[in-house]
Amino acid sequence: MVDSEGHPDGDEIALGSVLAALADPLRRQVVAELARAPGGTERTCASFGFPVSKATLTHHFRVLREAGLIRQVNRGNSRAACLRADDIEARLPGLLDLVAAEGGKK
Amino acid sequence: MVDSEGHPDGDEIALGSVLAALADPLRRQVVAELARAPGGTERTCASFGFPVSKATLTHHFRVLREAGLIRQVNRGNSRAACLRADDIEARLPGLLDLVAAEGGKK
DNA sequence: ACAAAGGTACGATGCAATCCGTACCTAAGG
DNA sequence: CCTTAGGTACGGATTGCATCGTACCTTTGT
């Protein structure tokens, strides 16, 4: 079941949808940055500074939301995205670490 | 670097390619069955019994091979595929467990 | 009231992935 | 030698995905 805003339940997060969502480099970077940030960090779509149009951004964040990777909540003016770290870790343990590690060798 | 048969080195296995390869349900099932089998198990392409043509099978196994997930060796008459479990586990620890667990609740 | 910022919805486009049929190759076995 | 089994290579059809422009909505701030 999904709520009215398109978020699947934690126990409905499907491996196939998650892998498909993470196959795109832009979406993977969103998850990677959120995973490396302190827990519960909220980011606005535009704050990532990707060189794509607003319409494309909406599309990518929808895919991430419907896969269960992020949660989007209304914050008045804009819409904040935060990683569903607990849900993902409970269902696909270790996956976030792999994504967070990529490109994070500073 | 890849060898003459299209196998990437263990340290060149890219997360993006692996996730893209595993995004397809058929390819994910190949990896899942190999991961659940005893270590070093060799399977022929046709032995999986997928309802697709031979040409399509070749395509999917090529994607898996070029992503570094399987190794294909000539076994005289046919061609055996085996999981590169050690290489994958070294580079993407935990990933194989996630794939193996899916659909494997017996 | 108005404008600006952040997102969404819709339709269109271009490219990549999937899938197939066919032809071909190689090795094993009669 | 001939047949069969397992794969590959090539070309084509179809579908899906990423991307965009445009129009529109809502909230904040002036």
Side-chain angles (χ1 to χ4, degrees):
Chain A
M1 196 47 192
V2 298
D3 68 11
S4 61
E5 288 183 338
H7 297 99
D9 280 352
D11 58 359
E12 280 177 346
I13 296 179
L15 179 60
S17 307
V18 169
L19 292 179
L22 293 177
D24 185 275
L26 185 147
R27 292 194 292 258
R28 197 162 59 249
Q29 190 175 337
V30 170
V31 173
E33 291 195 22
L34 286 174
R36 287 196 286 261
T41 297
E42 291 185 355
R43 294 278 298 268
T44 167
C45 293
S47 73
F48 291 87
F50 291 115
V52 295
S53 71
K54 289 197 299 177
T56 301
L57 268 189
T58 297
H59 162 70
H60 284 302
F61 276 82
R62 186 211 308 274
V63 174
L64 288 172
R65 177 189 353 117
E66 293 181 346
L69 284 165
I70 64 171
R71 190 177 301 275
Q72 283 180 295
V73 292
N74 286 324
R75 280 279 177 271
N77 200 4
S78 74
R79 204 139 185 232
C82 64
L83 193 64
R84 297 178 63 177
D86 293 347
D87 287 337
I88 303 166
E89 191 61 24
R91 202 148 164 86
L92 305 171
L95 183 59
L96 283 182
D97 293 333
L98 298 179
V99 177
E102 187 198 32
K105 358 153 172 249
K106 303 255 162 55
Chain B
M1 197 42 192
V2 297
D3 66 12
S4 61
E5 287 183 339
H7 296 100
D9 281 351
D11 58 357
E12 279 177 346
I13 296 179
L15 179 60
S17 307
V18 170
L19 293 179
L22 293 177
D24 185 275
L26 187 147
R27 293 193 292 258
R28 197 162 60 249
Q29 190 175 337
V30 170
V31 173
E33 292 196 22
L34 287 174
R36 288 196 287 260
T41 296
E42 291 185 353
R43 293 276 299 268
T44 165
C45 291
S47 72
F48 291 88
F50 290 116
V52 295
S53 72
K54 290 196 299 178
T56 302
L57 268 188
T58 297
H59 162 70
H60 284 302
F61 277 81
R62 187 211 314 271
V63 174
L64 288 172
R65 181 192 348 123
E66 293 181 347
L69 284 164
I70 65 172
R71 189 177 302 274
Q72 284 179 293
V73 292
N74 287 324
R75 280 279 177 272
N77 198 6
S78 75
R79 200 131 187 243
C82 64
L83 193 64
R84 298 179 62 177
D86 292 347
D87 288 338
I88 304 165
E89 191 61 24
R91 206 152 161 82
L92 305 170
L95 183 58
L96 283 182
D97 293 333
L98 298 179
V99 177
E102 187 197 30
K105 343 124 179 248
K106 306 246 164 61

